[in-house]
Amino acid sequence: MKYKSFVINCSEHQADTCRHKPFTVVEYTFNYSDSEDKQLIDSLFSDARELADKVFPGAANDSVHARSHKKILANCLAGVLSEYCWKHFLNYRKETVRSTPFESAANQIDLEIISNRKKIEVRSSFPRNGICFAICHPKYEFDILGPYSNNYKPGEVKKDYFIRTLFDGIKRPIEILDLIKSNSFTLYLTGGATYEMMIDRQLSKEKNFIPEDSFSITTESVYLVVPFHNALDSKEIYHLIVNEK
């Protein structure tokens, strides 16, 4: 596994971009022909299968639901890969976050800040037109996915941070099941947003859609999102999280 950071200057890719600040992303690359990477990928694949069976039990042996199970497996694999890489990145200098146990599909994949138990929701997506398009396009930019738009009322379980991974060059999520075993599989840790940013309507907006990495949602729902032009990049979200007390 190799990783590096680099800066995207959106004005170099989209003249009319809404993102005017440089955006630092972290690139992780896996090589399945490398023995250590193979061992890691096989382990993460095993975790994804276990998670998929919890989300959709028995479906793998049911021809009617097998295709749906394969999609769930792909989403689970994207989720555990995202969690692993974000955890590795955030723990690079000191142990800052840990994984949380899976409780339900509604909770997706989470990390927890060790010092104060604040929750970090990890989400992923598959931009078809490349990472620069996803971050920089003035109209079709991606975003940091937050809670359902009605989930910030009193009594609701809330997350404190929301972070996003992009899998570049994958047209359909199920392609990840084969591509992960290539000799150059790449993903990008892009950035994130805080809960406070999600409820600040100068920074966020409502978006009605079905997340690509959803484990169980099959109908459109309204989410709060922070578009990438308002989001924190990987460097900024890293410093916020590792400096939590």
Side-chain angles (χ1 to χ4, degrees):
M1 179 181 72
K2 297 179 180 179
Y3 52 94
K4 65 180 181 180
S5 65
F6 63 94
V7 176
I8 295 174
N9 290 299
C10 282
S11 60
E12 297 176 0
H13 301 276
Q14 299 283 343
D16 52 350
T17 183
C18 297
R19 177 78 192 192
H20 302 298
K21 290 173 57 179
F23 198 102
T24 300
V25 301
V26 180
E27 177 187 85
Y28 276 75
T29 303
F30 298 86
N31 181 352
Y32 197 69
S33 64
D34 177 87
S35 59
E36 290 186 6
D37 279 10
K38 182 181 185 302
Q39 184 177 5
L40 173 59
I41 290 168
D42 288 346
S43 175
L44 293 174
F45 222 126
S46 177
D47 291 343
R49 289 192 186 96
E50 183 178 345
L51 181 57
D53 287 341
K54 290 179 180 178
V55 173
F56 207 169
N61 297 318
D62 182 345
S63 61
V64 175
H65 299 295
R67 185 175 180 182
S68 295
H69 183 270
K70 193 171 184 179
K71 182 177 179 181
I72 292 293
L73 177 59
N75 290 341
C76 289
L77 181 59
V80 297
L81 275 167
S82 297
E83 179 190 317
Y84 178 86
C85 292
W86 273 106
K87 183 179 177 181
H88 179 272
F89 174 58
L90 293 169
N91 287 341
Y92 176 66
R93 295 191 181 277
K94 65 174 183 177
E95 191 173 6
T96 302
V97 300
R98 60 191 168 204
S99 301
T100 61
F102 177 81
E103 295 176 352
S104 71
N107 288 335
Q108 298 291 327
I109 301 261
D110 287 337
L111 295 171
E112 181 179 77
I113 299 174
I114 296 170
S115 63
N116 54 22
R117 303 195 68 179
K118 287 186 176 181
K119 296 293 191 295
I120 306 167
E121 184 168 279
V122 184
R123 301 300 295 260
S124 55
S125 195
F126 307 88
R128 296 168 179 79
N129 296 309
I131 185 171
C132 293
F133 180 95
I135 292 173
C136 302
H137 197 278
K139 183 177 180 180
Y140 300 111
E141 66 177 317
F142 280 49
D143 38 55
I144 308 300
L145 179 61
Y148 292 113
S149 63
N150 65 344
N151 268 18
Y152 54 94
K153 58 189 179 184
E156 293 284 355
V157 176
K158 76 176 183 71
K159 310 298 171 61
D160 301 283
Y161 291 95
F162 304 86
I163 54 181
R164 199 80 184 264
T165 303
L166 297 182
F167 292 90
D168 195 8
I170 297 179
K171 299 185 184 302
R172 297 180 302 146
I174 61 171
E175 292 177 6
I176 194 175
L177 300 175
D178 294 321
L179 291 176
I180 187 61
K181 295 183 179 180
S182 70
N183 292 338
S184 183
F185 179 83
T186 303
L187 61 85
Y188 298 90
L189 310 185
T190 55
T194 64
Y195 175 78
E196 290 72 25
M197 291 171 68
M198 285 293 172
I199 61 174
D200 182 347
R201 300 315 293 271
Q202 292 186 324
L203 299 175
S204 67
K205 64 180 182 179
E206 290 187 345
K207 189 172 183 179
N208 194 340
F209 73 122
I210 302 172
E212 285 182 303
D213 66 344
S214 173
F215 293 166
S216 59
I217 297 170
T218 57
T219 58
E220 287 192 351
S221 300
V222 180
Y223 290 84
L224 289 174
V225 303
V226 173
F228 268 128
H229 74 270
N230 286 332
L232 303 172
D233 67 9
S234 60
K235 184 177 180 180
E236 292 170 317
I237 202 74
Y238 171 87
H239 285 295
L240 273 183
I241 292 173
V242 300
N243 288 314
E244 283 277 1
K245 302 299 183 183

